[in-house]
Amino acid sequence: MRGLSLQRKLKSLFYVTLTGTGAYAFISVYKNDEKFYKNVLMPAVHVLEPEDSHKLGIIISKYRLIPRPNYTDPEALKTTLFGKVFQNPIGIAAGFDKHAEAVLGLRDIGFGFIEVGSVTPKPQPGNSKPRVFRLPEDRAVINRYGFNSEGHQVVYERLNHIKINESCDRIVGVNLGKNKTSEDPVGDYVVGIKKLGPVADYLVINVSSPNTPGLRAMQSKDVLKKLLKSAVETRDSLPQDSKPPLLLKLAPDLSSEELRDVVDVIKRKDTKVDGLIICNTTVGRPEFLVNSRVRDEVGGLSGKPLKGSSTRMIQDVYRLTKGKIPIIGVGGVFTGEDAYEKIKAGASVIQIYTSLVYEGPPIVTKIKKELTQLLAADGYRNISEAVGADLK
Ligand SMILES: Cc1cc2nc3c(=O)[nH]c(=O)nc-3n(C[C@H](O)[C@H](O)[C@H](O)COP(=O)(O)O)c2cc1C
């Protein structure tokens, strides 16, 4: 009898603990508790393979299952770029929502702008799996997705649906890639501009992903001139109300000479872009990486190890362009301080990806809060006043 009652007591204790843990987890998720996400939930999600956790993140965002943070963007974070109002300067970088499935969920999380893609003209499967690897000790990721894409038509339909049926007060950019076996790479970008220009707040010519053979060579002077000439002409031929700004996304692995060449090209009237995204993932493997298990996987490295080189590149380009071409700064941003460093180096707005992988959605509000405090502490009334402050 006594044995049975002990068993019953233990059972009750187990259920009480389970219910308590469940309630705690529910409340923590509901309250967007940063520490709970960072120390409990995201490590639990990381039991899955990296690509499966990415898929889970997309499903959760697509069905808008994440509670909206109880936070209103302050006026100090509002900024205007390419004549468009950004409610806040923190965007989700290309590669997370490749097929435009999760735009509204990402808006709910608090992003000020959402860049979908990269999108290729025809659907293509990308590289074989596994093709994403985590380096948790380094707060980094290596990926070689290779532009897995559902193609222009599907992405067009999804964005057009949002444009017609939803009121989305966030900027939505589209990042364009090319098909792996395309015989006319410039043509791939031209059809992308025609097809997706009318549903995009801005378009990105992405010639900097390391996982499509020959793509990064399109950053070389003569090829870039030819590409941008066609791209600018095509964009200019679109109807007035659907002429999006054109941006170019650069690789962090360009030499100083190559970078100067790029800047020369983008300043010329017939090949001028409206902005730059600095930067994509790197094929480099810094000495200081701790992880030895996956560091030598082929692909692009993102996250904390990219932070310093990305910020230096922003600074170099801001100097070379005399601050006349707006920069979207991306690479290793985990805190408001990281974002602020990039802004003072010359970025007008910021994107994140890898920090979201490790810290989950609360990181967006965390960065915005910290950035607001840093701006106020330095006496800036608005983020735009701090752009390039380090070089003034
Ligand atoms: C898994 C993964 C997939 C990515 N896919 C793309 C892509 O399709 N197109 C692109 O321009 N950049 C892509 N990127 C690069 C990011 O947009 C960003 O430039 C880079 O990760 C640096 O930012 P982060 O350190 O905040 O991640 C990808 C990055 C990751 C981690």
Side-chain angles (χ1 to χ4, degrees):
M1 279 301 267
R2 199 176 271 172
L4 255 185
S5 86
L6 180 66
Q7 196 180 14
R8 215 173 282 147
K9 274 184 194 159
L10 283 174
K11 227 178 184 175
S12 316
L13 184 67
F14 174 72
Y15 285 124
V16 168
T17 313
L18 196 69
T19 315
T21 311
Y24 171 70
F26 179 80
I27 292 167
S28 302
V29 169
Y30 181 72
K31 290 174 83 177
N32 270 289
D33 184 325
E34 274 164 36
K35 290 203 174 86
F36 179 77
Y37 269 90
K38 182 174 167 178
N39 300 325
V40 182
L41 197 59
M42 297 317 283
V45 170
H46 288 184
V47 170
L48 299 172
E49 288 297 315
E51 186 159 348
D52 293 333
S53 17
H54 180 191
K55 275 191 195 137
L56 181 67
I58 291 292
I59 292 171
I60 288 173
S61 310
K62 179 174 174 176
Y63 294 103
R64 302 171 69 182
L65 301 176
I66 300 166
R68 279 177 178 235
N70 184 15
Y71 177 80
T72 309
D73 292 335
E75 277 297 309
L77 292 188
K78 201 182 213 178
T79 188
T80 302
L81 207 58
F82 327 118
K84 297 178 189 265
V85 177
F86 288 60
Q87 296 299 330
N88 75 68
I90 308 301
I92 176 76
F96 181 77
D97 189 10
K98 284 178 182 276
H99 323 298
E101 297 167 275
V103 172
L104 297 175
L106 291 164
R107 185 259 326 253
D108 291 352
I109 291 171
F111 283 109
F113 62 113
I114 295 134
E115 188 172 312
V116 305
S118 297
V119 198
T120 57
K122 293 186 203 128
Q124 65 174 31
N127 291 326
S128 57
K129 297 177 191 171
R131 49 192 181 177
V132 197
F133 308 87
R134 292 187 206 102
L135 295 79
E137 311 83 340
D138 298 292
R139 289 305 212 220
V141 166
I142 291 175
N143 93 83
R144 52 166 179 270
Y145 267 111
F147 287 168
N148 53 315
S149 175
E150 293 185 12
H152 284 171
Q153 181 62 26
V154 170
V155 169
Y156 170 81
E157 280 165 20
R158 288 189 182 133
L159 292 181
N160 198 36
H161 178 85
I162 294 175
K163 197 174 170 182
I164 294 170
N165 298 294
E166 309 277 349
S167 65
C168 183
D169 61 346
R170 301 297 143 120
I171 301 294
V172 180
V174 179
N175 180 305
L176 301 172
K178 74 162 196 79
N179 278 115
K180 184 176 179 182
T181 54
S182 169
E183 282 173 9
D184 178 14
V186 172
D188 278 19
Y189 292 96
V190 166
V191 292
I193 295 167
K194 283 188 191 151
K195 181 81 192 177
L196 291 157
V199 289
D201 288 313
Y202 69 85
L203 288 174
V204 183
I205 308 282
N206 175 17
V207 282
S208 49
S209 287
N211 305 309
T212 295
L215 188 79
R216 285 173 305 144
M218 295 183 82
Q219 293 170 111
S220 67
K221 198 167 188 169
D222 291 339
V223 188
L224 191 65
K225 260 189 213 161
K226 188 169 167 257
L227 168 65
L228 291 183
K229 193 163 185 300
S230 300
V232 170
E233 265 170 26
T234 309
R235 190 274 315 270
D236 289 347
S237 71
L238 295 176
Q240 192 55 39
D241 59 345
S242 48
K243 254 193 234 284
L246 267 187
L247 278 64
L248 180 70
K249 184 163 179 178
L250 298 175
D253 307 316
L254 296 172
S255 67
S256 337
E257 202 185 328
E258 288 167 330
L259 193 58
R260 267 197 302 274
D261 283 349
V262 169
V263 170
D264 281 348
V265 175
I266 58 162
K267 284 200 303 206
R268 292 161 51 120
K269 197 164 173 266
D270 57 342
T271 49
K272 195 169 190 312
V273 293
D274 305 288
L276 292 167
I277 304 192
I278 301 175
C279 59
N280 216 310
T281 55
T282 175
V283 291
R285 295 292 181 267
E287 282 293 311
F288 56 79
L289 287 183
V290 177
N291 185 298
S292 54
R293 203 173 44 88
V294 300
R295 62 166 287 149
D296 294 324
E297 289 291 346
V298 170
L301 176 76
S302 59
K304 241 177 202 165
L306 186 60
K307 189 180 92 166
S309 49
S310 146
T311 307
R312 280 191 295 280
M313 187 171 171
I314 292 167
Q315 209 160 47
D316 291 345
V317 172
Y318 189 81
R319 205 178 277 129
L320 287 169
T321 57
K322 301 195 172 62
K324 289 198 177 121
I325 298 182
I327 298 170
I328 297 183
V330 52
V333 172
F334 279 71
T335 62
E337 180 79 50
D338 298 339
Y340 194 41
E341 274 172 20
K342 282 188 167 40
I343 289 162
K344 287 189 296 178
S348 294
V349 290
I350 299 295
Q351 289 177 325
I352 63 168
Y353 187 160
T354 305
S355 55
L356 182 70
V357 171
Y358 286 104
E359 303 204 5
I363 195 166
V364 183
T365 305
K366 183 191 91 162
I367 293 176
K368 291 192 291 190
K369 280 184 182 164
E370 290 172 353
L371 185 57
T372 310
Q373 279 168 4
L374 289 162
L375 286 169
D378 283 348
Y380 295 117
R381 281 162 302 165
N382 185 276
I383 185 167
S384 54
E385 293 177 0
V387 174
D390 277 351
L391 298 150
K392 281 173 184 159

